[in-house]
Protein backbone atom coordinates (compact mmCIF):
# COMPACT_ATOMS: atom_id res chain seq x y z
CA UNK A 1 0.00 0.00 0.00
CA UNK A 2 1.34 3.43 -0.89
CA UNK A 3 1.03 6.38 1.43
CA UNK A 4 -1.43 8.00 -0.92
CA UNK A 5 -3.61 4.89 -0.96
CA UNK A 6 -3.43 4.71 2.81
CA UNK A 7 -4.44 8.32 3.03
CA UNK A 8 -7.27 8.27 0.53
CA UNK A 9 -8.65 4.82 1.32
CA UNK A 10 -8.38 4.39 5.06
CA UNK A 11 -8.92 7.90 6.37
CA UNK A 12 -12.36 8.27 4.79
CA UNK A 13 -13.82 5.27 6.57
CA UNK A 14 -12.13 5.77 9.94
CA UNK A 15 -12.76 9.01 11.76
CA UNK A 16 -11.30 9.55 15.21
CA UNK A 17 -14.05 10.94 17.38
CA UNK A 18 -13.37 11.70 21.06
CA UNK A 19 -16.05 10.49 23.49
CA UNK A 20 -18.62 12.99 24.66
CA UNK A 21 -17.55 12.58 28.27
CA UNK A 22 -13.88 12.37 29.30
CA UNK A 23 -12.50 9.27 30.95
CA UNK A 24 -12.36 11.08 34.31
CA UNK A 25 -16.05 10.30 34.84
CA UNK A 26 -15.41 6.58 34.67
CA UNK A 27 -12.35 6.89 36.89
CA UNK A 28 -14.37 8.34 39.75
CA UNK A 29 -15.62 4.86 40.60
CA UNK A 30 -12.23 3.24 40.19
CA UNK A 31 -9.98 2.60 43.19
CA UNK A 32 -6.39 3.47 42.34
CA UNK A 33 -3.80 1.15 43.90
CA UNK A 34 -1.12 2.93 45.92
CA UNK A 35 2.17 1.42 44.78
CA UNK A 36 4.69 0.43 47.44
CA UNK A 37 8.07 1.50 46.16
CA UNK A 38 9.90 0.21 49.25
CA UNK A 39 9.39 -3.33 47.92
CA UNK A 40 11.41 -4.26 44.79
CA UNK A 41 9.11 -4.95 41.83
CA UNK A 42 8.85 -8.33 40.12
CA UNK A 43 9.76 -8.73 36.46
CA UNK A 44 6.50 -10.18 35.09
CA UNK A 45 7.24 -10.19 31.34
CA UNK A 46 10.46 -9.79 29.42
CA UNK A 47 11.35 -9.29 25.74
CA UNK A 48 14.84 -9.45 24.27
CA UNK A 49 15.16 -11.83 21.33
CA UNK A 50 12.72 -9.96 19.11
CA UNK A 51 15.00 -6.93 19.08
CA UNK A 52 18.14 -8.90 18.14
CA UNK A 53 17.85 -8.99 14.35
CA UNK A 54 20.43 -10.31 11.89
CA UNK A 55 20.01 -7.24 9.72
CA UNK A 56 20.81 -4.92 12.62
CA UNK A 57 22.78 -6.73 15.34
CA UNK A 58 23.50 -3.40 17.03
CA UNK A 59 19.80 -2.70 17.42
CA UNK A 60 18.58 -0.95 20.58
CA UNK A 61 15.33 0.30 22.10
CA UNK A 62 14.37 3.97 21.97
CA UNK A 63 11.39 4.04 24.30
CA UNK A 64 8.21 2.37 25.46
CA UNK A 65 4.70 3.73 26.15
CA UNK A 66 1.53 2.18 27.57
CA UNK A 67 -1.68 2.67 25.64
CA UNK A 68 -4.17 5.02 27.35
CA UNK A 69 -6.52 2.10 28.10
CA UNK A 70 -3.69 -0.02 29.51
CA UNK A 71 -4.31 -3.03 27.26
CA UNK A 72 -1.03 -2.89 25.35
CA UNK A 73 2.44 -1.50 25.10
CA UNK A 74 4.18 0.29 22.21
CA UNK A 75 7.95 0.19 21.71
CA UNK A 76 10.27 1.92 19.27
CA UNK A 77 13.70 0.63 18.30
CA UNK A 78 16.70 1.54 16.14
CA UNK A 79 15.68 -0.95 13.43
CA UNK A 80 12.96 1.55 12.39
CA UNK A 81 10.32 -0.73 13.92
CA UNK A 82 7.36 -0.12 16.21
CA UNK A 83 6.00 -3.12 18.11
CA UNK A 84 2.75 -3.54 20.03
CA UNK A 85 2.64 -6.01 22.92
CA UNK A 86 -0.83 -6.82 24.31
CA UNK A 87 -0.90 -7.35 28.07
CA UNK A 88 -2.29 -10.88 28.75
CA UNK A 89 -5.59 -10.77 30.64
CA UNK A 90 -5.04 -7.00 30.94
CA UNK A 91 -3.08 -7.51 34.15
CA UNK A 92 -5.46 -10.08 35.67
CA UNK A 93 -4.64 -12.76 38.22
CA UNK A 94 -2.67 -14.86 35.72
CA UNK A 95 -0.21 -12.10 34.94
CA UNK A 96 0.03 -10.97 38.54
CA UNK A 97 1.32 -14.39 39.53
CA UNK A 98 3.60 -14.76 36.55
CA UNK A 99 7.33 -14.31 36.66
CA UNK A 100 9.97 -14.00 33.95
CA UNK A 101 13.26 -15.29 35.34
CA UNK A 102 14.80 -16.46 32.04
CA UNK A 103 16.11 -13.26 30.50
CA UNK A 104 17.26 -15.00 27.31
CA UNK A 105 13.72 -16.01 26.32
CA UNK A 106 10.83 -13.74 25.38
CA UNK A 107 7.59 -14.02 27.34
CA UNK A 108 5.60 -13.84 24.11
CA UNK A 109 5.82 -12.41 20.62
CA UNK A 110 4.73 -8.92 19.68
CA UNK A 111 1.11 -8.78 18.54
CA UNK A 112 1.91 -6.23 15.85
CA UNK A 113 5.10 -5.15 14.07
CA UNK A 114 5.16 -1.96 11.99
CA UNK A 115 8.32 -1.16 10.02
CA UNK A 116 9.01 2.42 9.00
CA UNK A 117 11.25 3.44 6.12
CA UNK A 118 13.65 5.51 8.19
CA UNK A 119 14.68 6.21 11.77
CA UNK A 120 11.74 6.91 14.11
CA UNK A 121 12.00 10.33 15.75
CA UNK A 122 8.92 10.17 17.97
CA UNK A 123 5.70 8.22 18.54
CA UNK A 124 2.52 8.59 20.60
CA UNK A 125 -0.88 7.02 21.24
CA UNK A 126 -4.23 8.56 20.37
CA UNK A 127 -5.39 9.83 23.81
CA UNK A 128 -8.85 8.19 23.64
CA UNK A 129 -7.55 4.84 22.43
CA UNK A 130 -9.73 1.96 23.66
CA UNK A 131 -9.50 -1.70 22.68
CA UNK A 132 -13.30 -1.86 22.73
CA UNK A 133 -13.46 0.73 19.93
CA UNK A 134 -11.34 -0.43 16.97
CA UNK A 135 -11.58 2.95 15.27
CA UNK A 136 -9.75 4.56 18.18
CA UNK A 137 -6.92 1.97 18.25
CA UNK A 138 -4.26 4.05 16.54
CA UNK A 139 -0.86 5.55 17.22
CA UNK A 140 1.16 8.18 15.40
CA UNK A 141 4.82 8.17 14.41
CA UNK A 142 7.23 10.55 12.74
CA UNK A 143 10.35 9.40 10.91
CA UNK A 144 13.26 10.96 9.06
CA UNK A 145 12.34 12.34 5.61
CA UNK A 146 8.74 11.09 5.95
CA UNK A 147 5.38 12.62 6.85
CA UNK A 148 3.56 11.86 10.08
CA UNK A 149 1.93 8.42 9.93
CA UNK A 150 -1.13 7.25 11.85
CA UNK A 151 -1.17 3.46 12.17
CA UNK A 152 -3.96 1.05 13.04
CA UNK A 153 -2.75 -0.68 16.24
CA UNK A 154 -4.83 -3.78 15.48
CA UNK A 155 -4.15 -4.46 11.80
CA UNK A 156 -0.94 -2.50 11.21
CA UNK A 157 -2.49 -0.67 8.27
CA UNK A 158 -1.58 2.92 7.52
CA UNK A 159 -4.68 4.94 8.36
CA UNK A 160 -3.55 8.33 7.10
CA UNK A 161 -0.63 10.73 6.72
CA UNK A 162 -0.04 14.37 7.64
CA UNK A 163 2.52 16.11 5.46
CA UNK A 164 4.49 19.30 5.96
CA UNK A 165 6.57 20.86 3.22
CA UNK A 166 9.56 23.18 3.28
CA UNK A 167 10.31 26.21 1.13
CA UNK A 168 11.20 24.13 -1.92
CA UNK A 169 8.07 21.98 -1.63
CA UNK A 170 9.85 18.94 -0.24
CA UNK A 171 8.48 16.90 2.63
CA UNK A 172 10.03 17.86 5.95
CA UNK A 173 9.86 15.52 8.92
CA UNK A 174 8.61 16.42 12.38
CA UNK A 175 11.03 15.81 15.25
CA UNK A 176 8.29 15.49 17.87
CA UNK A 177 4.54 14.87 17.85
CA UNK A 178 1.66 14.89 20.33
CA UNK A 179 -2.13 14.77 20.19
CA UNK A 180 -3.87 17.58 22.04
CA UNK A 181 -6.08 16.58 25.01
CA UNK A 182 -9.24 16.85 22.89
CA UNK A 183 -7.76 14.37 20.43
CA UNK A 184 -8.71 16.43 17.38
CA UNK A 185 -5.30 17.92 16.52
CA UNK A 186 -1.73 16.76 16.14
CA UNK A 187 0.97 19.21 17.20
CA UNK A 188 4.34 18.61 15.53
CA UNK A 189 7.72 20.14 16.31
CA UNK A 190 10.09 21.32 13.57
CA UNK A 191 13.08 23.63 13.39
CA UNK A 192 11.98 26.89 15.03
CA UNK A 193 8.33 26.15 14.28
CA UNK A 194 5.30 24.14 15.33
CA UNK A 195 2.75 22.88 12.83
CA UNK A 196 -0.77 21.92 13.84
CA UNK A 197 -2.72 19.34 11.84
CA UNK A 198 -6.45 18.72 12.06
CA UNK A 199 -6.89 14.99 12.72
CA UNK A 200 -9.95 14.90 10.47
CA UNK A 201 -8.13 16.51 7.52
CA UNK A 202 -5.13 14.36 6.55
CA UNK A 203 -2.85 15.60 3.85
CA UNK A 204 -0.87 18.83 3.60
CA UNK A 205 -3.27 21.22 5.37
CA UNK A 206 -1.84 22.63 8.59
CA UNK A 207 -1.37 25.77 10.65
CA UNK A 208 2.22 26.90 11.10
CA UNK A 209 3.46 28.83 14.12
CA UNK A 210 6.97 30.21 14.38
CA UNK A 211 8.58 29.83 17.81
CA UNK A 212 10.52 33.03 17.19
CA UNK A 213 8.92 36.40 17.72
CA UNK A 214 10.09 39.84 16.71
CA UNK A 215 13.81 40.31 17.14
CA UNK A 216 14.55 36.60 17.53
CA UNK A 217 12.74 36.50 20.84
CA UNK A 218 11.20 33.18 21.71
CA UNK A 219 12.42 29.61 21.31
CA UNK A 220 15.17 28.76 18.86
CA UNK A 221 16.36 25.39 17.65
CA UNK A 222 14.61 22.12 16.88
CA UNK A 223 11.41 21.48 18.84
CA UNK A 224 12.27 18.07 20.23
CA UNK A 225 9.48 17.39 22.75
CA UNK A 226 5.83 18.38 23.22
CA UNK A 227 3.49 17.82 26.19
CA UNK A 228 0.02 19.07 27.10
CA UNK A 229 -1.34 19.89 30.52
CA UNK A 230 -3.64 17.02 31.57
CA UNK A 231 -6.10 19.28 33.37
CA UNK A 232 -7.53 20.92 30.23
CA UNK A 233 -6.04 24.30 31.13
CA UNK A 234 -5.19 24.84 27.48
CA UNK A 235 -1.42 24.94 28.04
CA UNK A 236 1.30 23.02 26.27
CA UNK A 237 5.05 22.83 26.77
CA UNK A 238 7.68 22.44 24.06
CA UNK A 239 11.30 21.46 24.60
CA UNK A 240 14.07 22.51 22.25
CA UNK A 241 17.59 21.34 21.52
CA UNK A 242 18.55 24.96 22.26
CA UNK A 243 18.30 24.00 25.97
CA UNK A 244 15.05 25.89 26.53
CA UNK A 245 11.46 24.96 27.32
CA UNK A 246 8.53 27.14 26.26
CA UNK A 247 4.95 27.19 27.54
CA UNK A 248 2.17 28.24 25.16
CA UNK A 249 -1.57 28.61 25.08
CA UNK A 250 -3.01 25.95 22.84
CA UNK A 251 -5.82 27.99 21.29
CA UNK A 252 -3.72 30.79 19.81
CA UNK A 253 -0.13 29.59 20.49
CA UNK A 254 0.57 32.67 22.60
CA UNK A 255 3.99 32.36 24.23
CA UNK A 256 3.63 32.51 28.01
CA UNK A 257 7.07 31.59 29.35
CA UNK A 258 10.56 30.60 28.27
CA UNK A 259 12.37 28.43 30.82
CA UNK A 260 16.18 28.44 30.90
CA UNK A 261 18.50 26.25 32.92
CA UNK A 262 18.78 22.86 31.26
CA UNK A 263 22.41 21.91 30.65
CA UNK A 264 21.65 20.01 27.45
CA UNK A 265 19.10 20.02 24.68
CA UNK A 266 15.65 19.21 26.09
CA UNK A 267 14.51 15.71 25.10
CA UNK A 268 11.42 15.14 27.27
CA UNK A 269 8.80 17.33 28.96
CA UNK A 270 5.92 16.19 31.17
CA UNK A 271 3.28 17.95 33.25
CA UNK A 272 2.28 16.84 36.73
CA UNK A 273 -1.17 15.27 37.11
CA UNK A 274 -2.58 18.52 38.53
CA UNK A 275 -1.07 20.55 35.69
CA UNK A 276 0.73 22.99 37.99
CA UNK A 277 4.22 21.59 37.65
CA UNK A 278 6.38 20.77 34.65
CA UNK A 279 9.25 18.30 34.54
CA UNK A 280 11.97 18.65 31.90
CA UNK A 281 15.01 16.53 31.05
CA UNK A 282 17.81 16.98 28.54
CA UNK A 283 20.59 15.09 26.83
CA UNK A 284 23.98 14.97 28.54
CA UNK A 285 22.21 16.52 31.52
CA UNK A 286 22.02 14.57 34.81
CA UNK A 287 19.03 16.46 36.22
CA UNK A 288 15.29 16.46 35.65
CA UNK A 289 14.06 19.93 36.57
CA UNK A 290 10.73 20.65 38.28
CA UNK A 291 9.14 24.01 37.42
CA UNK A 292 6.07 25.62 38.98
CA UNK A 293 4.19 26.81 35.89
CA UNK A 294 2.25 29.32 38.00
CA UNK A 295 5.52 31.16 38.66
CA UNK A 296 7.84 29.72 35.98
CA UNK A 297 10.87 31.62 37.16
CA UNK A 298 12.61 29.31 39.61
CA UNK A 299 13.36 25.62 39.67
CA UNK A 300 11.46 23.97 42.54
CA UNK A 301 13.97 21.11 42.72
CA UNK A 302 16.18 18.87 40.59
CA UNK A 303 16.02 15.09 40.34
CA UNK A 304 19.25 13.25 39.55
CA UNK A 305 19.60 10.53 36.96
CA UNK A 306 22.68 9.06 35.30
CA UNK A 307 22.63 10.69 31.86
CA UNK A 308 25.75 12.86 31.78
CA UNK A 309 27.34 11.07 28.84
CA UNK A 310 24.51 10.24 26.46
CA UNK A 311 22.61 12.13 23.78
CA UNK A 312 19.76 9.63 24.04
CA UNK A 313 16.25 10.68 24.87
CA UNK A 314 15.53 9.17 28.28
CA UNK A 315 11.82 9.10 29.02
CA UNK A 316 10.45 9.49 32.54
CA UNK A 317 6.89 9.16 33.83
CA UNK A 318 4.62 10.08 36.74
CA UNK A 319 2.53 7.41 38.46
CA UNK A 320 -1.30 7.55 38.11
CA UNK A 321 -1.73 9.07 41.59
CA UNK A 322 0.70 11.86 40.78
CA UNK A 323 2.88 11.12 43.80
CA UNK A 324 6.05 9.70 42.29
CA UNK A 325 8.23 10.04 39.21
CA UNK A 326 10.23 7.17 37.71
CA UNK A 327 13.21 7.60 35.43
CA UNK A 328 15.94 5.44 33.95
CA UNK A 329 19.55 6.26 33.21
CA UNK A 330 22.88 5.00 31.91
CA UNK A 331 23.48 2.97 35.08
CA UNK A 332 20.64 0.56 34.24
CA UNK A 333 18.69 1.66 37.31
CA UNK A 334 15.18 3.02 37.59
CA UNK A 335 15.03 5.77 40.21
CA UNK A 336 11.77 6.66 41.95
CA UNK A 337 11.34 10.16 43.42
CA UNK A 338 8.73 11.61 45.77
CA UNK A 339 7.27 14.57 43.89
CA UNK A 340 6.14 16.39 47.03
CA UNK A 341 9.62 16.60 48.49
CA UNK A 342 11.86 15.99 45.51
CA UNK A 343 13.61 13.29 47.52
CA UNK A 344 14.81 9.92 46.23
CA UNK A 345 12.46 7.15 47.35
CA UNK A 346 13.87 3.93 45.92
CA UNK A 347 15.48 2.32 42.90
CA UNK A 348 15.86 -1.03 41.23
CA UNK A 349 18.07 -2.60 38.56
CA UNK A 350 16.05 -2.83 35.36
CA UNK A 351 18.80 -3.68 32.86
CA UNK A 352 22.57 -3.88 32.37
CA UNK A 353 22.65 -1.04 29.86
CA UNK A 354 20.96 2.34 29.53
CA UNK A 355 17.32 2.40 30.62
CA UNK A 356 15.93 4.90 28.10
CA UNK A 357 12.22 4.38 28.66
CA UNK A 358 10.01 4.05 31.73
CA UNK A 359 6.21 4.13 31.69
CA UNK A 360 3.70 3.55 34.48
CA UNK A 361 0.59 1.56 33.65
CA UNK A 362 -2.40 3.97 33.59
CA UNK A 363 -4.28 2.19 36.39
CA UNK A 364 -2.59 -1.08 37.44
CA UNK A 365 0.41 -1.31 39.83
CA UNK A 366 2.69 -2.07 36.90
CA UNK A 367 5.31 -0.31 34.79
CA UNK A 368 7.36 -0.98 31.69
CA UNK A 369 11.01 -0.23 30.97
CA UNK A 370 13.08 -0.28 27.80
CA UNK A 371 16.85 -0.39 27.55
CA UNK A 372 19.68 -0.16 25.07
CA UNK A 373 22.15 2.26 23.55
CA UNK A 374 24.29 2.59 20.47
CA UNK A 375 27.42 0.46 20.70
CA UNK A 376 30.52 1.33 18.71
CA UNK A 377 32.79 -1.54 19.70
CA UNK A 378 33.37 -4.13 16.98
CA UNK A 379 34.31 -7.79 17.60
CA UNK A 380 38.06 -8.33 17.09
CA UNK A 381 37.38 -11.46 15.08
CA UNK A 382 35.56 -10.68 11.84
CA UNK A 383 33.61 -13.92 12.17
CA UNK A 384 32.60 -13.25 15.77
CA UNK A 385 28.96 -12.51 16.39
CA UNK A 386 27.74 -9.38 18.09
CA UNK A 387 26.07 -10.85 21.17
CA UNK A 388 24.10 -9.05 23.87
CA UNK A 389 22.94 -10.48 27.17
CA UNK A 390 19.27 -10.99 27.93
CA UNK A 391 19.14 -7.94 30.20
CA UNK A 392 20.53 -5.65 27.49
CA UNK A 393 18.46 -4.07 24.72
CA UNK A 394 15.25 -5.35 26.26
CA UNK A 395 11.72 -4.48 27.36
CA UNK A 396 10.49 -5.56 30.78
CA UNK A 397 7.09 -5.28 32.42
CA UNK A 398 7.23 -4.91 36.20
CA UNK A 399 4.61 -5.66 38.86
CA UNK A 400 4.73 -3.64 42.07
CA UNK A 401 3.44 -4.43 45.54
CA UNK A 402 0.64 -2.10 46.59
CA UNK A 403 -1.38 -1.00 49.59
CA UNK A 404 -5.10 -0.56 50.07
CA UNK A 405 -6.58 1.37 47.20
CA UNK A 406 -7.47 5.01 46.98
CA UNK A 407 -9.34 6.93 44.30
CA UNK A 408 -7.86 10.36 44.90
CA UNK A 409 -5.10 11.92 42.85
CA UNK A 410 -2.68 14.01 44.88
CA UNK A 411 -2.21 17.63 44.01
CA UNK A 412 -5.69 18.08 42.62
CA UNK A 413 -5.65 21.67 43.84
CA UNK A 414 -2.12 22.10 42.62
CA UNK A 415 -0.61 22.55 46.05
CA UNK A 416 -1.42 19.87 48.62
CA UNK A 417 0.96 17.01 49.27
CA UNK A 418 0.44 13.75 51.07
CA UNK A 419 0.48 15.47 54.42
CA UNK A 420 -1.26 18.62 53.26
CA UNK A 421 1.94 20.62 52.74
CA UNK A 422 2.82 22.32 49.48
CA UNK A 423 5.91 21.98 47.33
CA UNK A 424 7.16 25.31 48.67
CA UNK A 425 6.57 24.36 52.31
CA UNK A 426 8.34 21.06 51.80
CA UNK A 427 11.33 22.86 50.35
CA UNK A 428 11.49 25.31 53.25
CA UNK A 429 10.79 22.70 55.92
CA UNK A 430 12.29 19.44 54.70
CA UNK A 431 12.00 17.92 58.16
Amino acid sequence: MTEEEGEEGQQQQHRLTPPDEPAEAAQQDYSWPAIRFDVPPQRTYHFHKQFATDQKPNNFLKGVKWSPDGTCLLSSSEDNTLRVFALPEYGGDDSANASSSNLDEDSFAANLVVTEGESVYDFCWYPYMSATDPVSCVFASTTRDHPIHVWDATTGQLRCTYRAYDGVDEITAAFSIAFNPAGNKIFAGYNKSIRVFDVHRPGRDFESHSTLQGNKEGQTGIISAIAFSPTHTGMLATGSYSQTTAIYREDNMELLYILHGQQGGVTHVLFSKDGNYLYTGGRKDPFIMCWDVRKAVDVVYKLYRSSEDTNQRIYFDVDPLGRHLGTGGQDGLVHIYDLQTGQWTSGFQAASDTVNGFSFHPFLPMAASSSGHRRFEVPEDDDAEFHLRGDENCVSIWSFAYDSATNSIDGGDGSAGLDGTSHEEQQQNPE
Side-chain angles (χ1 to χ4, degrees):
M1 177 185 297
T2 67
E3 288 181 3
E4 295 296 335
E5 290 172 343
E7 176 188 341
E8 298 298 332
Q10 297 298 324
Q11 70 206 21
Q12 299 300 330
Q13 53 183 320
H14 301 294
R15 291 182 64 87
L16 296 176
T17 305
D20 294 333
E21 296 183 5
E24 285 85 343
Q27 292 173 356
Q28 291 177 358
D29 298 328
Y30 178 76
S31 295
W32 298 77
I35 296 175
R36 289 189 57 185
F37 293 108
D38 58 330
V39 180
Q42 181 185 42
R43 183 185 269 112
T44 308
Y45 301 109
H46 184 73
F47 312 96
H48 164 73
K49 275 189 166 183
Q50 297 169 67
F51 304 106
T53 61
D54 294 335
Q55 295 81 6
K56 207 170 185 69
N58 196 9
N59 188 30
F60 60 91
L61 270 296
K62 289 184 173 182
V64 64
K65 298 179 182 180
W66 284 106
S67 62
D69 70 344
T71 59
C72 53
L73 192 66
L74 177 63
S75 71
S76 172
S77 49
E78 175 67 7
D79 58 357
N80 310 337
T81 301
L82 298 153
R83 293 175 173 87
V84 176
F85 298 88
L87 184 63
E89 300 298 323
Y90 306 141
D93 294 337
D94 291 341
S95 66
N97 297 326
S99 177
S100 180
S101 57
N102 187 357
L103 300 183
D104 291 323
E105 297 296 329
D106 288 8
S107 298
F108 51 87
N111 299 76
L112 179 69
V113 177
V114 172
T115 301
E116 287 278 17
E118 288 286 349
S119 178
V120 178
Y121 286 148
D122 199 7
F123 61 105
C124 63
W125 285 99
Y126 176 61
Y128 294 98
M129 179 272 184
S130 173
T132 59
D133 180 13
V135 173
S136 71
C137 292
V138 298
F139 59 86
S141 65
T142 178
T143 59
R144 183 172 55 205
D145 299 331
H146 283 68
I148 297 169
H149 292 156
V150 172
W151 300 95
D152 189 308
T154 304
T155 65
Q157 288 184 316
L158 180 64
R159 286 273 191 94
C160 49
T161 62
Y162 301 88
R163 305 188 298 273
Y165 290 82
D166 58 17
V168 293
D169 207 37
E170 293 182 351
I171 288 180
T172 178
F175 294 94
S176 56
I177 52 174
F179 286 92
N180 66 339
N184 58 5
K185 294 181 180 179
I186 295 177
F187 282 65
Y190 296 82
N191 186 20
K192 294 179 287 190
S193 68
I194 297 171
R195 293 180 169 100
V196 183
F197 297 88
D198 187 329
V199 168
H200 300 128
R201 297 182 64 187
R204 60 183 300 168
D205 293 334
F206 57 84
E207 299 175 6
S208 185
H209 302 274
S210 173
T211 59
L212 291 177
Q213 300 177 350
N215 298 325
K216 294 188 177 180
E217 295 180 355
Q219 192 174 28
T220 61
I222 291 172
I223 305 305
S224 52
I226 303 175
F228 287 85
S229 173
T231 53
H232 298 276
T233 57
M235 288 194 302
L236 72 145
T238 61
S240 168
Y241 284 147
S242 67
Q243 305 177 4
T244 60
T245 301
I247 298 178
Y248 297 89
R249 283 183 52 178
E250 178 191 339
D251 54 357
N252 58 7
M253 290 302 293
E254 176 189 355
L255 177 63
L256 303 178
Y257 306 110
I258 293 283
L259 308 179
H260 299 269
Q262 209 80 49
Q263 296 178 21
V266 178
T267 55
H268 189 42
V269 293
L270 181 68
F271 279 92
S272 62
K273 297 300 182 181
D274 59 24
N276 289 328
Y277 297 91
L278 179 69
Y279 306 99
T280 63
R283 56 187 183 183
K284 288 193 174 181
D285 188 340
F287 294 104
I288 297 172
M289 296 179 138
C290 173
W291 309 83
D292 187 335
V293 298
R294 298 165 297 184
K295 300 178 181 178
V297 287
D298 297 321
V299 177
V300 180
Y301 52 67
K302 297 180 180 181
L303 309 177
Y304 174 79
R305 61 178 178 178
S306 175
S307 57
E308 299 93 332
D309 304 315
T310 180
N311 283 318
Q312 275 185 284
R313 185 198 306 264
I314 297 181
Y315 291 98
F316 48 86
D317 197 17
V318 174
D319 75 339
L321 288 175
R323 299 178 181 177
H324 296 87
L325 180 145
T327 178
Q330 291 178 275
D331 53 7
L333 295 172
V334 170
H335 295 283
I336 306 296
Y337 287 93
D338 187 325
L339 293 182
Q340 301 304 321
T341 64
Q343 299 298 312
W344 182 86
T345 298
S346 65
F348 63 93
Q349 191 79 36
S352 293
D353 50 4
T354 303
V355 177
N356 51 49
F358 187 76
S359 178
F360 283 107
H361 192 279
F363 54 85
L364 293 175
M366 305 179 78
S369 64
S370 63
S371 78
H373 56 255
R374 195 181 305 278
R375 290 170 167 84
F376 297 99
E377 59 266 24
V378 179
E380 296 181 2
D381 185 355
D382 292 339
D383 296 330
E385 294 184 359
F386 193 93
H387 179 70
L388 297 179
R389 292 167 27 181
D391 59 352
E392 297 175 315
N393 183 33
C394 60
V395 170
S396 294
I397 297 178
W398 306 88
S399 294
F400 289 88
Y402 59 95
D403 283 329
S404 56
T406 176
N407 57 5
S408 63
I409 298 178
D410 288 336
D413 61 354
S415 61
L418 301 186
D419 55 0
T421 58
S422 66
H423 274 276
E424 293 81 355
E425 290 170 344
Q426 289 281 11
Q427 293 300 305
Q428 296 170 4
N429 305 294
E431 301 299 327

